[in-house]
Amino acid sequence: MTAIDDVTIEITPQVLLKAYACGIFPMAESAEDNALYWIEPERRGILPLSGMHVPKRLARTIRSGNFEVKIDRNFEAVIDGCAAPRSGRRSTWINARIRGLYRELFALGHCHTVEVWQDGALVGGLYGVHLGRAFFGESMFSRARDASKIALVYLVARLVYGGFTLLDTQFVTGHLARFGAIEVSRDEFQRLLEGALGGGFAHGSGSAGSPGGGTASAGASAGGASAGAASAGGASPAGTSAPGAAAFSALPEGAGGALVLQLVSHTSKTGCSTA
């Protein structure tokens, strides 16, 4: 672990993207500590996009329509939620430099949010970085039951639909393990990352951090479960996109819970039940 302050290099969004392309990410000791550290774990957490498990109760919640899922609408509120103290954690590693850097990545279209709203309030979500066909999950939060879990399921569906091949979770927690997250060696992660970058990493999402990102209801009618019928405007998954590129914004705005669950279950090799 190397302190960025100990290295004579200005940390910019471009430097940060190059670090991600090398399998390295920054963290801070606390919000009060201005220093950043490069992290490259010996064992790396990933959530295989072909192996997500969605518990039955959560699937019912997603179908219920009680939540609204939005994309890239309020980065500041999401990072505030991720940085807020929570049960079992009084402090956060998200300091002012982290906020500033990821704010700039968001403006460049390389950082995205998945936001869960209920009754007009943001109740959960996550944010992460997009390079090529890789998505690097950074942090998530929840203020209502299942909100962060809903965000994760919607993220995976969006990545599947957009032609991504790698979801980096950095580490594996008990929470993520229940959804199918696993650990791989540093060498294996590098192999997966190289494949996901496909010879380049200067590819944003297509949504460019626009505040007018997509919105979807967390519940959809049974008639919308068909991937063909529910892909508004005849849009199709971007699994055949050009090497090195994937589209975070490819999933249509109207995609609801039924389609999201179908996208996840269609790729699952773990017997994921959406009943």
Side-chain angles (χ1 to χ4, degrees), residues 43-218:
R43 304 288 296 175
R44 192 69 167 251
I46 64 169
L47 203 168
L49 297 176
S50 61
M52 188 182 201
H53 172 71
V54 181
K56 290 183 179 180
R57 186 188 61 77
L58 179 61
R60 288 194 294 270
T61 300
I62 290 173
R63 285 201 194 94
S64 71
N66 292 330
F67 296 88
E68 187 178 17
V69 179
K70 303 179 183 182
I71 305 299
D72 291 344
R73 292 297 184 94
N74 197 330
F75 170 80
E76 296 296 338
V78 171
I79 202 164
D80 282 346
C82 291
R86 65 188 70 168
S87 177
R89 191 193 75 179
R90 294 184 179 179
S91 61
T92 176
W93 54 270
I94 300 175
N95 64 13
R97 292 178 73 186
I98 290 285
R99 286 174 179 267
L101 283 167
Y102 288 89
R103 184 183 296 116
E104 291 184 74
L105 288 183
F106 182 77
L108 292 171
H110 278 290
C111 183
H112 298 286
T113 63
V114 179
E115 306 163 15
V116 181
W117 294 72
Q118 188 175 38
D119 299 327
L122 179 66
V123 296
L126 58 82
Y127 76 96
V129 174
H130 170 196
L131 283 179
R133 292 188 298 249
F135 190 88
F136 305 84
E138 280 296 316
S139 188
M140 62 174 61
F141 77 100
S142 183
R143 298 187 184 121
R145 183 176 183 180
D146 293 333
S148 63
K149 298 174 185 177
I150 292 170
L152 181 61
V153 174
Y154 268 76
L155 170 66
V156 171
R158 183 163 290 274
L159 299 184
V160 169
Y161 197 91
F164 288 76
T165 61
L166 176 63
L167 173 52
D168 170 36
T169 66
Q170 299 179 349
F171 306 102
V172 175
T173 64
H175 173 73
L176 290 171
R178 288 192 288 272
F179 287 89
I182 61 173
E183 282 188 343
V184 296
S185 68
R186 181 183 294 172
D187 288 345
E188 175 64 8
F189 180 78
Q190 287 293 335
R191 185 186 69 79
L192 294 170
L193 179 58
E194 289 173 9
L197 295 183
F201 63 86
H203 299 276
S205 68
S207 64
S210 167
T215 303
S217 167

Side-chain angles (χ1 to χ4, degrees), residues 13 77 79 83 128 144 234-235 247 251 265:
I79 202 164
L251 189 63
S265 64

